[in-house]
Amino acid sequence: MAQRLTVIGTGYLGATHAACMAELGFEVLGIDVDADKIARLSAGELPFYEPGLEPILRRNLENGRLRFTTSYDEVAEFGDVHFICVGTPQKPGEYAADMTYVDDTITALAPRLTRACLVIGKSTVPVGTAERLARRLARLAPAGDLAELAWNPEFLREGFAVEDTLHPDRIVIGVESDRAEKVLREIYTPMTAEGIPLIVSDYPTAELVKVSANAFLATKISFINAMAEVCEAAHADVTKLSEALSHDDRIGGKFLGPGLGFGGGCLPKDIRAFMARAGELGVDQALSFLREVDAINIRRRIRMVDLARELLGGSFIGRTVGVLGAAFKPNSDDIRDSPALDVATTIRAQGGNVTVYDPQALDNARRAHPELAYGTSAQDAAAHAHVVLLLTEWREFRELDPDELGAVVAERNIVDGRNALDPERWRTAGWHYRALGRP
């Protein structure tokens, strides 16, 4: 008999995991404390944008393999395997991760576990968390040691979450027993049968894999953006530099795109939490370089504002600015730590009249930043603008016609924050084109 799965927390990670596990044939029950979110998911409506996920959600609701609830009693009775997929945000005013939601999950679930089961953490946590939770789980659960813990970090990329769940590039499991390993191997058989590697480790190694991966990716992004700073000073072209570097197999071209830098709900908070945990472990110097990675990333936003101000003669006061992009990356409606909105709000604070357009993130942006104006299209956001800023590299922005956009602006000034446009095409159309790290 196949294991019955529960997924605790139905945000971006949890809703995706629940729907995709049901797609693989498992019976899945998702739980969240947010009754409105559960109602929307039960009706087949995603509370966020993710390409390709909603049809999977609806299909598995219809075939009965997927359900949602707010009852921990129901979850404990139903599930053989419980996946923890709750958030671990940055603590206000600190670098450390806030473990409240993870700890609350164990507090609510453990006392209801009366039979053998496996609790699997997928949330990104500070190293050492799993060992602490395993002891607490065994202490609080009536099933005692039969309620085991494992750690199975997620590696989702927003915009590609379905592919990354159903066909990941690797599976990592941190376990302390043969039984836990056996259960996880059974769950992931469809993937390992495709040849996807499954790496078995202890708890701390599994916890470190995710934060180490994010630290490396953030470092690579900030490296090329540091080179962009040098290129601007030396009148060189960082896009050509990046292209040349990418042909070296030891370096590669992924995450080597110079521009406005990273944002979202993972990389910024994860590298800060990693630094905080290293300090607690007494090895803060080992990760001190991540402070500069973070600083470089923030400087790109400041430089973007500076470039736009330079094009306007030194001041935003009384000038109109069209902003293309609100999400932190394309194919997402996630605005957490969005570089685009950081730039937009900074310019407004300096006296600019800012109008923002994004294909998917406008509702979230409006709720978070009602002080900004919002357009219904790229042309609407750029209407009467003295400068246009491309801040999220949506395909529709990359494919804009410079003559069509030029017909609606007050002045043909554009700053390409993602190095997504062809400079010659825009300059030929009469635009004053600037970009980060380019002459």
Side-chain angles (χ1 to χ4, degrees):
M1 180 179 173
Q3 304 278 357
R4 298 205 298 184
L5 315 182
T6 78
V7 176
I8 301 165
T10 58
Y12 183 82
L13 167 61
T16 302
H17 192 67
C20 288
M21 289 297 102
E23 183 75 358
L24 289 173
F26 292 98
E27 287 185 71
V28 182
L29 179 63
I31 182 173
D32 204 286
V33 296
D34 187 335
D36 290 339
K37 186 187 295 182
I38 290 299
R40 291 179 66 183
L41 287 166
S42 298
E45 179 185 343
L46 282 177
F48 53 85
Y49 175 74
E50 178 59 36
L53 182 57
E54 197 157 86
I56 294 174
L57 171 70
R58 290 177 176 174
R59 180 162 59 246
N60 287 283
L61 286 168
E62 290 168 4
N63 64 32
R65 285 199 296 261
L66 178 61
R67 295 185 296 112
F68 295 95
T69 184
T70 57
S71 169
Y72 269 99
D73 288 332
E74 187 178 0
V75 161
E77 182 180 350
F78 175 89
D80 304 302
V81 176
H82 306 279
F83 286 96
I84 300 176
C85 296
V86 297
T88 53
Q90 187 175 335
K91 286 182 178 178
E94 299 182 35
Y95 272 17
D98 185 346
M99 298 301 296
T100 301
Y101 301 123
V102 173
D103 289 334
D104 286 353
T105 296
I106 297 297
T107 300
L109 179 66
R112 295 172 165 87
L113 300 177
T114 58
R115 57 187 170 87
C117 62
L118 185 62
V119 178
I120 303 171
K122 292 195 73 68
S123 303
T124 304
V125 297
V127 62
T129 298
E131 183 179 352
R132 174 176 66 82
L133 294 180
R135 293 194 303 267
R136 190 157 175 258
L137 177 66
R139 186 174 70 251
L140 294 178
D145 291 340
L146 293 178
E148 287 191 73
L149 187 80
W151 217 261
N152 170 219
E154 57 87 12
F155 303 103
L156 302 190
R157 299 168 297 163
E158 294 196 31
F160 303 93
V162 171
E163 177 71 14
D164 289 346
T165 302
L166 296 176
H167 308 284
D169 51 17
R170 81 283 204 195
I171 301 162
V172 176
I173 59 172
V175 295
E176 286 200 332
S177 75
D178 292 339
R179 174 183 169 270
E181 179 180 341
K182 182 174 181 289
V183 169
L184 277 158
R185 284 190 181 277
E186 288 175 356
I187 290 171
Y188 290 124
T189 294
M191 300 165 193
T192 55
E194 295 179 4
I196 293 167
L198 187 148
I199 297 137
V200 182
S201 76
D202 52 32
Y203 288 159
T205 304
E207 292 167 316
L208 281 171
V209 169
K210 174 61 185 295
V211 291
S212 299
N214 279 354
F216 183 86
L217 296 174
T219 300
K220 196 171 182 183
I221 294 167
S222 281
F223 171 81
I224 198 61
N225 283 334
M227 295 305 100
E229 293 184 18
V230 176
C231 284
E232 286 188 25
H235 308 292
D237 187 337
V238 73
T239 62
K240 291 297 181 183
L241 173 63
S242 175
E243 180 185 357
L245 291 174
S246 71
H247 289 291
D248 186 328
D249 289 340
R250 299 168 300 173
I251 298 173
K254 291 184 177 180
F255 281 75
L256 207 63
L260 191 51
F262 56 83
C266 290
L267 261 61
K269 65 101 174 172
D270 285 353
I271 66 170
R272 293 165 190 161
F274 201 8
M275 285 188 277
R277 184 58 179 147
E280 292 170 355
L281 293 171
V283 289
D284 51 305
Q285 286 187 332
L287 297 185
S288 60
F289 71 95
L290 288 179
R291 291 191 181 275
E292 186 57 26
V293 167
D294 201 10
I296 292 166
N297 193 55
I298 297 301
R299 286 204 300 271
R300 292 291 80 193
R301 305 178 187 190
I302 297 168
R303 180 59 180 148
M304 187 72 199
V305 173
D306 290 345
L307 278 177
R309 192 191 305 105
E310 288 172 15
L311 281 177
L312 297 180
S315 175
F316 291 114
I317 296 173
R319 311 305 289 275
T320 299
V321 180
V323 168
L324 305 183
F328 86 95
K329 65 179 287 187
N331 300 314
S332 173
D333 64 352
D334 192 344
I335 62 165
R336 289 175 294 176
D337 202 359
S338 165
L341 288 175
D342 194 357
V343 168
T345 54
T346 298
I347 291 174
R348 184 187 180 277
Q350 294 182 16
N353 301 312
V354 181
T355 302
V356 178
Y357 170 69
D358 188 283
Q360 291 293 335
L362 284 187
D363 288 345
N364 290 339
R366 280 193 186 97
R367 282 192 292 270
H369 296 286
E371 73 276 14
L372 296 172
Y374 295 93
T376 57
S377 66
Q379 286 74 17
D380 189 28
H384 312 297
H386 297 99
V387 63
V388 176
L389 312 182
L390 193 162
L391 303 182
T392 310
E393 66 274 33
W394 286 92
R395 180 176 178 179
E396 70 175 78
F397 298 157
R398 297 198 308 266
E399 296 177 351
L400 282 169
D401 185 302
D403 289 314
E404 289 181 8
L405 197 67
V408 302
V409 299
E411 297 177 19
R412 293 194 178 195
N413 293 317
I414 190 163
V415 185
D416 181 0
R418 295 296 180 178
N419 283 296
L421 305 175
D422 179 350
E424 291 311 309
R425 183 177 180 225
W426 285 76
R427 285 171 178 149
T428 299
W431 286 80
H432 190 173
Y433 174 95
R434 294 293 301 275
L436 295 165
R438 303 177 86 165

